[in-house]
Amino acid sequence: MAAIIQAEDVRKTYRVGKVEVQALRGVSLSADEGEFVSIVGPSGSGKSTMFYILGGLTRADGGRVVIGGADFAQLSDAERTRLRKTKIGFVFQKFNLLPTLDARGNITIAYDIAGGEAKWDQAHFERITEMLGIAKRLDHRPSELSGGEQQRVALARALINKPAIVLADEPTGNLDSKNSDVVLNVLRTSNKELRQTVLMITHNPEAAAYGDRIVHMRDGQIVRAEDDPQWSAKR
């Protein structure tokens, strides 16, 4: 099975004042088409930095990142933006919904942003919103929705264009167990039915277990499970 995500020796350093912080120290990671990969590790392990680099939201300082056969280092900003719009769906912990749009508008805006690259599928829209339990909440703005409903709207937005890749950064971090189960089950269903590749960052062992495999990160590197004491303690 071909890898749709390939990261080789990826490095990233941030400068905080006069101090350099090595967020990623030569990370190599791949994910096959249709694979669900959970990435776990403590805060500061480099998980979120990897998320932003794989999504083309920031550039690596070194190494190579290939998404769907496209080498990010060889793409212009416009080409990376087009790749994000057509191939990647994002789910953020903080929802990132537009307060002036209702739930329907916050979902369909992903289609509008794709600029004709995606084909509208009304049946898919209806099925996703039904599965997420928000079909009757589509006329409500974010301020009128609970945190769980907002995250479900954010997930619908990520899935509406049937992207090949879904990147989810702590999608259940602000949710109770009931809403977490809904989000995770829909992610898993979409992964299986559409053969989407899902990379999910999480601190939660129960959420991580939804993945086909679990990748552990610590101090900007991928480590063995037994070398991740925070994870071991949770187990």
Side-chain angles (χ1 to χ4, degrees):
M1 191 178 295
I4 192 170
I5 296 174
Q6 292 178 295
E8 301 171 2
D9 195 29
V10 176
R11 299 175 182 276
K12 181 68 176 181
T13 300
Y14 292 106
R15 181 176 291 277
V16 182
K18 296 182 179 180
V19 178
E20 289 190 346
V21 178
Q22 290 183 290
L24 296 176
R25 306 166 183 256
V27 173
S28 295
L29 171 71
S30 67
D32 292 335
E33 179 183 350
E35 189 176 19
F36 192 136
V37 180
S38 299
I39 302 178
V40 302
S43 297
S45 62
K47 304 186 308 297
S48 292
T49 298
M50 198 67 189
F51 173 92
Y52 282 97
I53 288 176
L54 292 178
L57 299 172
T58 190
R59 290 183 181 272
D61 295 332
R64 185 167 178 257
V65 176
V66 179
I67 303 294
D71 187 337
F72 269 173
Q74 305 301 318
L75 300 181
S76 66
D77 288 342
E79 289 170 332
R80 286 191 316 176
T81 297
R82 182 175 181 275
L83 187 148
R84 286 197 302 271
K85 291 191 298 185
T86 57
K87 289 191 175 183
I88 304 174
F90 293 92
V91 186
F92 299 95
Q93 182 178 0
K94 295 183 179 180
F95 317 142
N96 289 353
L97 301 180
L98 297 176
T100 57
L101 297 181
D102 60 17
R104 187 190 310 275
N106 268 290
I107 297 169
T108 59
I109 194 171
Y111 173 77
D112 297 332
I113 289 172
E117 297 284 350
K119 182 179 179 181
W120 178 253
D121 185 337
Q122 181 64 25
H124 178 63
F125 172 83
E126 292 175 359
R127 182 164 185 267
I128 287 293
T129 53
E130 283 287 350
M131 287 174 61
L132 287 166
I134 54 174
K136 296 181 180 180
R137 305 288 284 167
L138 296 175
D139 295 329
H140 292 73
R141 292 187 179 185
S143 61
E144 301 169 320
L145 301 173
S146 69
E149 288 171 333
Q150 290 184 60
Q151 185 61 298
R152 283 180 271 155
V153 170
L155 178 55
R157 178 184 59 197
L159 299 178
I160 194 61
N161 290 336
K162 303 178 184 178
I165 298 168
V166 177
L167 299 180
D169 187 4
E170 297 283 3
T172 63
N174 292 325
L175 306 184
D176 59 24
S177 59
K178 181 179 178 180
N179 281 296
S180 294
D181 287 344
V182 171
V183 166
L184 291 168
N185 283 322
V186 171
L187 265 179
R188 190 59 168 162
T189 298
S190 187
N191 158 252
K192 290 301 183 185
E193 292 186 357
L194 299 179
R195 291 198 55 74
Q196 290 170 321
T197 300
V198 177
L199 259 67
M200 178 179 69
I201 292 172
T202 182
H203 284 91
N204 186 339
E206 293 179 0
Y210 276 76
D212 298 315
R213 64 186 170 99
I214 299 173
V215 173
H216 296 259
M217 291 191 68
R218 186 172 179 83
D219 298 329
Q221 297 176 307
I222 291 177
V223 300
R224 298 176 302 171
E226 53 267 35
D227 293 330
D228 184 352
Q230 184 184 51
W231 177 265
S232 300
K234 289 180 179 180
R235 304 294 286 179

